[in-house]
Amino acid sequence: MTNSKQIALLGLIVIVLISHGIANLFVMELNNSLTTLSITLFLPGLFIAFPSLNLQLYPAILCNTITGILIDATTPIPMGTSAFVFLIVQLVVFQFRSVIKKNNLYHGWVIAQITNFVIFSFVTLYFNGKYLFEDGIFIRTLLDFIFSQSALAIIAPVYFTIIKKTIAVLRMDLYANELSHK
Amino acid sequence: MAKRPLNRYRPFLLLGLFIFIWKVVPKSVQLTLHKSFYEFQAPLWIGSSKIEDLHSYWSTRTNSENKLIEAGIQLSRNNHELRIQLDQVKLQQEELNSLRSLHNLSPINNYTYETARVCKRDLTSWWQEITIRKGDNHGILKNSPVIFAGGVVGKVKETYETTSTVLLITSRHFRMAARFENDPRPVTYIGSINSSFGNPKGIVRDAPSDVIVTQEKSQKLVSSGLGSIFPEGINIGTVHYLEPGTNGLFKAGKVLLDKRLLYLKEVSVLLPKNK
């Protein structure tokens, strides 16, 4: 790989990570406001879908590992767990991404929803597995899940479009990068 | 041709490599990585919280002069009342201290208060924590008790350079020794996740069977001073009913906590005076 290609790839990774950071801050502010209603939005699917579907293998792994560790650092989840789950989900998506893209016009949106569901279920089982049916925890978790998926349904298309537009404005070729992988 | 199958499984080989490296890496390296990634993000939260403060400052500035004068008058009245109460408290404190010294007992108030703004609230169904804008640099210590105007908030779980995380009283992992306001016998308080659109709540356990609490005759639950984290007499919440526990020897019930716990903006960390 030539130097200019490497720089372009690095630029893509930086753009995706900065976008994730801003989106994470936005979700945090939303959650800060929603605490009065005891509702939490959990949107990791937002961060996995874009790199998994649009970047090459190594940049996508790098993006998802860094995002996972950033999330692990700020939550009581044991260090490395989110990064590990993100990697598994990403690798599964990566295996089938050409099939998914052929058959579905809204592939980004669908993948974001599915990955969010998988990670939400994982965290719920990890933290509340034993207590899920105690003292209203199930209802709270279910409502959090419904609100999270609904919020993701609204935010994800806008978020993906913003990243794509930013990449286009900066004159980087996302799709050339993707095709070069094949 | 021989490369193709390997390419297919390359992602999973990478995953295996990640797991292997993660298992081999010493705990100290993981901890350093955790701290670095946390500290890297902390300025963003602090900045965002300061922008919020600035926003409320400018929205206050848009108030009319008359409104501000009215608020000022009300504030000076409140200050006057509080000053009188403070004088009374000082007198009572002095009297209490002299009585305790007569009996060779150590003084009760061994804490200083470090007030801190809340910059992040994580009140999920999995964990209940808040992040405050003060940390190691301000002398905040791990396991220090955190309170607010309504009573107990929680205890400091982790400290960083400029921030600290506080385990909330509503967390399932939070437990403390408590007592009913008019009963010296200790009971156990355990946090409980609050339901959506509901008020914060907790659970009281190990209450003696002769304690009677009903909807009409509710009782306040306060810290007992046992357990060496919280000083005695800090408000926890109100108990409206008690029912026999699973073993039949003790009673258990629900504790209703202060609603303001859901939108805390400022808290006080109690720090030992000698530190």
Side-chain angles (χ1 to χ4, degrees):
Chain A
M1 201 183 278
T2 58
N3 261 353
S4 60
K5 271 190 178 176
Q6 276 179 339
I7 291 166
L9 208 59
L10 196 70
L12 273 179
I13 295 171
V14 170
I15 289 169
V16 172
L17 285 177
I18 290 174
S19 310
H20 282 4
I22 295 168
N24 201 13
L25 203 65
F26 172 70
V27 174
M28 186 202 90
E29 281 302 326
L30 261 178
N31 279 332
N32 270 354
S33 310
L34 287 171
T35 50
T36 47
L37 302 171
S38 300
I39 292 169
T40 312
L41 301 181
F42 187 66
L43 312 174
L46 196 64
F47 308 124
I48 300 177
F50 190 85
S52 307
L53 288 170
N54 297 296
L55 296 186
Q56 286 181 28
L57 179 65
Y58 292 119
I61 284 179
L62 198 65
C63 275
N64 283 328
T65 310
I66 293 174
T67 312
I69 294 175
L70 281 171
I71 290 175
D72 283 337
T74 57
T75 53
I77 299 172
M79 193 63 181
T81 311
S82 291
F84 172 65
V85 176
F86 277 28
L87 273 181
I88 292 181
V89 174
Q90 188 236 305
L91 294 179
V92 172
V93 172
F94 198 85
Q95 290 295 307
F96 303 105
R97 74 177 186 176
S98 51
V99 182
I100 298 164
K101 279 188 177 184
K102 264 182 203 167
N103 296 335
N104 201 329
L105 196 62
Y106 304 102
H107 55 272
W109 188 86
V110 172
I111 291 299
Q113 290 282 336
I114 294 170
T115 49
N116 208 61
F117 167 72
V118 170
I119 296 168
F120 194 101
S121 310
F122 173 80
V123 178
T124 301
L125 289 174
Y126 185 86
F127 280 96
N128 286 348
K130 279 183 195 167
Y131 318 94
L132 195 58
F133 298 102
E134 274 179 24
D135 205 25
I137 290 179
F138 180 75
I139 300 289
R140 165 85 202 258
T141 310
L142 187 69
L143 282 172
D144 279 354
F145 172 72
I146 292 168
F147 282 112
S148 298
Q149 296 296 106
S150 310
L152 187 68
I154 299 163
I155 297 169
V158 181
Y159 181 62
F160 298 151
T161 312
I162 289 172
I163 301 182
K164 281 182 183 171
K165 291 272 180 204
T166 313
I167 290 168
V169 165
L170 294 170
R171 296 182 180 194
M172 287 174 174
D173 199 348
L174 182 68
Y175 295 102
N177 156 53
E178 186 199 349
L179 289 171
S180 68
H181 173 70
K182 288 174 183 175
Chain B
M1 288 295 280
K3 261 189 170 182
R4 281 195 72 157
L6 192 68
N7 272 348
R8 207 170 160 190
Y9 297 111
R10 196 174 53 171
F12 296 98
L13 287 173
L14 279 169
L15 181 69
L17 192 71
F18 174 82
I19 298 167
F20 177 73
I21 292 172
W22 206 251
K23 285 280 166 201
V24 169
V25 163
K27 272 273 175 220
S28 58
V29 176
Q30 287 188 21
L31 212 68
T32 313
L33 199 68
H34 178 273
K35 279 234 171 192
S36 331
F37 271 76
Y38 185 95
E39 296 290 5
F40 176 72
Q41 294 178 83
L44 287 174
W45 310 327
I46 295 173
S48 152
S49 163
K50 285 195 172 165
I51 288 170
E52 209 180 308
D53 288 351
L54 200 67
H55 175 256
S56 66
Y57 167 76
W58 282 108
S59 60
T60 314
R61 275 193 72 124
T62 55
N63 282 331
S64 70
E65 270 186 26
N66 282 344
K67 219 174 176 181
L68 290 173
I69 290 166
E70 267 176 42
I73 291 168
Q74 189 58 46
L75 203 64
S76 74
R77 276 182 198 148
N78 290 348
N79 278 344
H80 181 70
E81 277 174 29
L82 287 171
R83 220 169 281 149
I84 293 167
Q85 282 180 22
L86 200 67
D87 287 341
Q88 284 174 341
V89 169
K90 269 182 191 167
L91 278 173
Q92 285 168 354
Q93 192 70 49
E94 277 169 22
E95 198 179 327
L96 186 70
N97 283 345
S98 61
L99 282 170
R100 288 184 77 90
S101 65
L102 273 176
H103 290 87
N104 290 329
L105 296 168
S106 60
I108 287 179
N109 196 0
N110 273 333
Y111 293 97
T112 56
Y113 298 85
E114 188 69 52
T115 309
R117 299 282 289 175
V118 176
C119 64
K120 189 169 168 254
R121 291 186 282 266
D122 260 346
L123 274 66
T124 68
S125 57
W126 308 303
W127 56 80
Q128 304 256 312
E129 290 177 1
I130 55 168
T131 307
I132 55 171
R133 268 172 23 191
K134 280 189 179 169
D136 290 333
N137 291 353
H138 307 89
I140 305 290
L141 301 169
K142 206 175 164 179
N143 283 330
S144 299
V146 183
I147 60 168
F148 80 121
V152 175
V153 171
K155 62 180 177 184
V156 176
K157 190 185 161 198
E158 208 68 60
T159 60
Y160 301 90
E161 289 286 307
T162 50
T163 54
S164 305
T165 51
V166 177
L167 184 71
L168 276 184
I169 189 171
T170 46
S171 170
R172 248 189 313 105
H173 305 288
F174 184 94
R175 52 175 64 210
M176 66 181 281
R179 66 173 175 82
F180 288 102
E181 200 176 28
N182 302 316
D183 194 329
R185 289 172 294 180
V187 295
T188 308
Y189 167 85
I190 303 166
S192 172
I193 302 286
N194 40 310
S195 42
S196 304
F197 309 108
N199 291 336
K201 61 181 193 288
I203 296 163
V204 60
R205 277 189 192 159
D206 307 327
S209 53
D210 58 340
V211 176
I212 295 165
V213 180
T214 57
Q215 283 288 352
E216 295 79 33
K217 203 185 149 194
S218 57
Q219 283 212 47
K220 262 177 117 180
L221 196 71
V222 295
S223 58
S224 69
L226 300 169
S228 72
I229 291 181
F230 288 91
E232 199 185 347
I234 299 178
N235 182 44
I236 295 174
T238 317
V239 183
H240 290 281
Y241 75 88
L242 280 176
E243 54 191 16
T246 44
N247 55 15
L249 292 171
F250 298 102
K251 284 180 171 177
K254 204 180 269 183
V255 187
L256 290 182
L257 307 175
D258 198 308
K259 264 187 185 178
R260 288 173 290 177
L261 278 167
L262 297 177
Y263 45 92
L264 285 170
K265 287 201 167 168
E266 209 161 62
V267 294
S268 288
V269 184
L270 302 186
L271 297 168
K273 263 184 183 164
N274 53 359
K275 298 251 172 168

